[in-house]
Amino acid sequence: AAGWTSSLTTIASVILVASTVVADILPASSNASNSSLLWGTYRPNLYFGTRPRIPESVMTGLMWFDASQFQGFQKIRHACDQGDGIEGYGYHKHDGREYASQEINDKPSNIKLSTEFIKVPGGKNGGDWGVRISGRTMDDTAGSLTSAMFYIGIEGEGGLDIMSKLSQKGLGSPVILEGDTPELGPLNTHPKEGIDRDLSRTQWWGTEVPQGQVWRSKDIVLQNLVQEARGRLESPKGSQEDAMIKPFKYFTLSNSLIEEEGETANFYVFQKVFEGDFQFDVLFHSQTSKEPLTSESLGSKLIKKENEFNTRFEETFHLRQKGFSNSEVEFAQYLLSNMLGGIGYFHGSSVIDRSHPPMEDEENFKGEPVRPELSPPQTLFTATPSRPFFPRGFYWDEGFHQLLIGEWDNDLSLDIIKHWTDLIDENGWVGREQILGEEARSKVPSEFQTQFHHYANPPTLYLSIKRYIDRLDKQSQDIIFEQTNGQMKMGVLDDNKVLRNLHLQDPELADEWLKSIYPKLRQNWLWFRATQHGDLDRFGRKAPNKEAYRWRGRTPNHTLTSGLDDYPRGEPSVGELHLDLHSWMAFGTGLLKDIAHKLGPEYADDMNEYSKIQKDMLVNLDILHWNEAENMYCDQALENNEPVHICHKGYLSLFPLNLGLLSADSPKLGSILDMIENEHELWSPYGLRSLSASDEFFGTGENYWRGPIWININYLTLQSLYKNYIHVPGPYQAQAQKIYTKLRDAVIRNVYKNYKKTGYVWEQYSENDGKGLKSHPFTGWTSLILLIMAEEY
Ligand code: 6A9
């Protein structure tokens, strides 16, 4: 590696060294795969940051700003922010474990950044990792001047003892930082040169950050930069004019350590000012690794991993084989990579109101003030819907996320699902939105933070667990073993006779895993039945059995619990019955039946119970929710204390079809298909509208779920058509086939087109012109486009 300079291409290293055995503090359930899941890009809210899956531990992150402008410091890039005006960013390759390559088009700063991450599992403490950070001027005629900073901080106990060994000469190349945390072992520095203001050298600053506040690193660093700039402006050599011309000389770190007597700093930040293109590496060494990662090996591993990723991607999704172009395959890789790059590790308490028992009817405590309380700290490893806007876990989003993740890396998906089922409490409740810890909370206005333990969200997690069972059944047919590089791999041959690794060490583990989560799943189902039941007794409704459901936590214009926030419903009351929840329950009960079946004869009683209740649910679905005159499924609500159907054509009406509750010869299926195909109702050239264009509320109010196109629901429709209707002979088969083909084509084409144009994947799409709307990048369920391309349902 060449020395630190600010010339065109700079290669330099900051090497972080850790030593103690981390394995000791990994959860007892950990298996070999955990070493490749210890460190990761698990701070998805940041443009780039790493942390291990250890609650209070080391956090690292990247910041940068345009050093050519005096105001540049006000626009430090750190946490993903739509306001930064970045023209597209995200991972183009990410394998979820050892390799992640990202590009960030920071047009306002005239620099295109890339972060290329490599992990080398092995040794006893989760192995080494490194990241190559490079920048390329976007518009050469304008030039670029970038101030890049990389920090490392310790959230829990421990310190980074750097000063004791820091000579008067500053930091040479490579900078070696050693430190000490209870889990990760001792860390130190080996500085080589003196402190000066020569910007070709690394500037730095070390300080003590109060416990648990490392996530505020941008504010902390900003304070030091501004203080330094002010001091230099006021110094004899400084002047306002000079600072306007050469701001980069002013906004540099203080090259000092702020430490109280007897304490050690727990936060260090390093800064380099670069003119034009640049590149530097950050390497993390765990002392038990056999061959420590170097800049050279990082470079060669990046090439090797990229090739492996491309091969595995094709083996998994077969997109080339299906005829997709190179550019479409790259887009599909972006979808997978950002789903994986959106995975985060969260720890902290959440705000919950448990002031009334979950079974108690809300009308008893209507109008009472909210009683939020902080829960004990919890831990969640999860994918997230959107890095800049919703970098946290959502229950019903996660079931969709795991469909894609499970297809790529079965064990990674099981690990995430297990984290979620661990959050299900003794009543069977799990909060819809997991806002764990202060950092997560800082993104959510306080009136939205509180979770209530009588509020639900669709149980999509059952769906991804069922997919896992499908994979098991498929793979158990012919498991084979293969010896590669002295490692025994177990898997099955896929359609192309390629060995697909299940990552499962042992089929018994699969059983163990299912058995370990099953009690929580059942508890969750019992909670739904107890807390979200609908009232059949009070309003003179006639039904052959008691199965009826109602979302709690409604307001006149919102049903956040349903996930379809502002979709039109009736007036909130205890007399409502909700079609989507009824459908989810019938569907979920069927899934639990399959899961209990998989678990074997000991679970036969549960299985029979699910079977009977599901039948009741299906009978009542038609009795309570089908409206003969409108020829559609509807909600029920009270009008003048009488139950009536509330009918708004849209996603709600699709649920019985989307969840496969209708037989292929049902005339009800026929009328839903007609509604789908009708251009005045749900059909748009870009996908299915959330609300019919003919509905009185179409496009009104917030217009969130009142017209715009959502990919998760379009996915549900496509997968159900594919699995339940297009291959089954019947009166509507041809119509279903036609819709399937046209709809699949429409959504793929539109999401792809927007990606090519904007560099982003979006939360929803306009039914009017197909344009991406709301949060971006939104690479949660919109990434299901990849499964739609691959037809992996
Ligand atoms: C509230 C806003 C800075 C809304 O994808 C997550 C969810 C979906 O589960 C749901 O179906 N999204 C959908 O209707 C986003 C929810 C975000 C809530 C944030 C605070 C603060 O904004």
Side-chain angles (χ1 to χ4, degrees), residues 537-550:
D537 300 331
R538 261 194 283 181
F539 303 99
R541 293 178 172 116
K542 289 202 180 63
N545 66 74
K546 294 263 177 261
E547 295 304 318
Y549 290 91
R550 166 166 72 92

Side-chain angles (χ1 to χ4, degrees), residues 384-386 388-390 392-397 401 432-433 435 443-445 448-449 457-458 559-560 562-566 704-705 710 712 763 775 778 780-781:
T384 56
S386 167
F389 269 84
F390 322 122
R392 54 184 177 274
F394 289 81
Y395 187 58
W396 92 300
D397 294 64
H401 299 161
R432 170 178 91 238
E433 196 173 337
I435 314 168
K443 286 243 173 181
V444 188
F448 292 110
Q449 290 177 4
N457 203 208
T559 317
L560 297 182
S562 73
L564 313 177
D565 299 9
D566 63 338
Y704 200 31
W705 292 84
W710 293 79
N712 62 330
E763 184 176 6
S775 306
F778 184 102
W781 58 42

Side-chain angles (χ1 to χ4, degrees), residues 25 102 116 225 261 285 331 371 414 432 444 464 512 574 577 580 632 684 740 748 786 788:
I25 53 110
Q102 176 178 229
E116 296 170 288
L225 285 177
E261 189 80 32
H285 286 170
F331 157 68
R371 294 206 182 83
L414 299 195
R432 170 178 91 238
V444 188
S464 49
E512 223 174 86
V574 291
L577 298 180
D580 49 341
M632 64 187 278
S684 93
Y740 173 79
I748 294 173
L786 166 52
I788 295 172

Side-chain angles (χ1 to χ4, degrees), residues 59-127:
M59 314 254 260
T60 79
L62 171 71
M63 300 184 208
W64 75 94
F65 63 92
D66 179 355
S68 71
Q69 294 178 34
F70 187 79
Q71 307 293 348
F73 74 98
Q74 291 179 347
K75 296 178 195 148
I76 295 180
R77 283 41 167 126
H78 179 231
C80 301
D81 184 346
Q82 239 162 254
D84 287 342
I86 310 265
E87 292 189 0
Y89 65 93
Y91 291 98
H92 291 269
K93 321 260 175 190
H94 197 313
D95 71 5
R97 287 180 192 254
E98 295 176 15
Y99 169 57
S101 168
Q102 176 178 229
E103 274 179 17
I104 304 165
N105 297 304
D106 188 354
K107 200 72 194 285
S109 313
N110 198 25
I111 195 87
K112 181 193 192 90
L113 263 96
S114 69
T115 66
E116 296 170 288
F117 175 79
I118 281 286
K119 190 151 44 110
V120 189
K124 286 181 188 151
N125 6 4

Side-chain angles (χ1 to χ4, degrees), residues 245-439:
I245 303 164
K246 294 175 172 164
F248 52 90
K249 275 175 44 185
Y250 288 76
F251 293 96
T252 60
L253 297 165
S254 59
N255 294 344
S256 64
L257 180 70
I258 304 172
E259 253 176 0
E260 305 249 321
E261 189 80 32
E263 301 283 322
T264 40
N266 58 359
F267 182 88
Y268 276 87
V269 51
F270 302 90
Q271 177 187 36
K272 291 289 301 171
V273 181
F274 297 111
E275 189 182 0
D277 296 356
F278 64 87
Q279 176 179 309
F280 65 97
D281 298 337
V282 177
L283 305 174
F284 180 92
H285 286 170
S286 85
Q287 285 181 358
T288 52
S289 50
K290 284 193 201 96
E291 260 178 80
L293 194 61
T294 62
S295 278
E296 289 70 34
S297 60
L298 175 68
S300 57
K301 280 184 202 308
L302 283 170
I303 296 168
K304 184 166 160 261
K305 284 288 175 189
E306 177 173 0
N307 287 329
E308 283 175 12
F309 176 86
N310 290 338
T311 309
R312 177 170 160 204
F313 189 85
E314 180 58 18
E315 280 169 10
T316 308
F317 300 108
H318 311 296
L319 295 189
R320 277 180 210 288
Q321 197 186 313
K322 276 184 169 302
F324 287 103
S325 70
N326 285 348
S327 160
E328 286 159 342
V329 171
E330 279 169 17
F331 157 68
Q333 290 187 345
Y334 177 88
L335 297 176
L336 172 72
S337 300
N338 287 289
M339 175 67 83
L340 295 167
I343 292 175
Y345 180 82
F346 304 91
H347 180 82
S349 31
S350 58
V351 182
I352 302 177
D353 180 336
R354 291 181 186 270
S355 51
H356 291 269
M359 327 296 172
E360 188 178 337
D361 229 314
E362 284 176 303
E363 61 172 7
N364 292 349
F365 50 93
K366 225 193 259 162
E368 273 184 26
V370 174
R371 294 206 182 83
E373 273 179 41
L374 276 186
S375 74
Q378 291 177 307
T379 295
L380 182 62
F381 184 53
T382 183
T384 56
S386 167
R387 289 170 63 194
F389 269 84
F390 322 122
R392 54 184 177 274
F394 289 81
Y395 187 58
W396 92 300
D397 294 64
E398 204 51 29
F400 288 106
H401 299 161
Q402 293 317 313
L403 298 175
L404 177 52
I405 294 177
E407 197 58 34
W408 173 254
D409 185 334
N410 178 71
D411 283 16
L412 174 58
S413 176
L414 299 195
D415 198 297
I416 292 174
I417 293 172
K418 181 79 164 70
H419 274 85
W420 273 95
T421 54
D422 282 349
L423 286 186
I424 295 174
D425 74 7
E426 64 285 356
N427 297 321
W429 172 73
V430 54
R432 170 178 91 238
E433 196 173 337
Q434 295 293 327
I435 314 168
L436 304 183
E438 265 192 74
E439 181 172 21

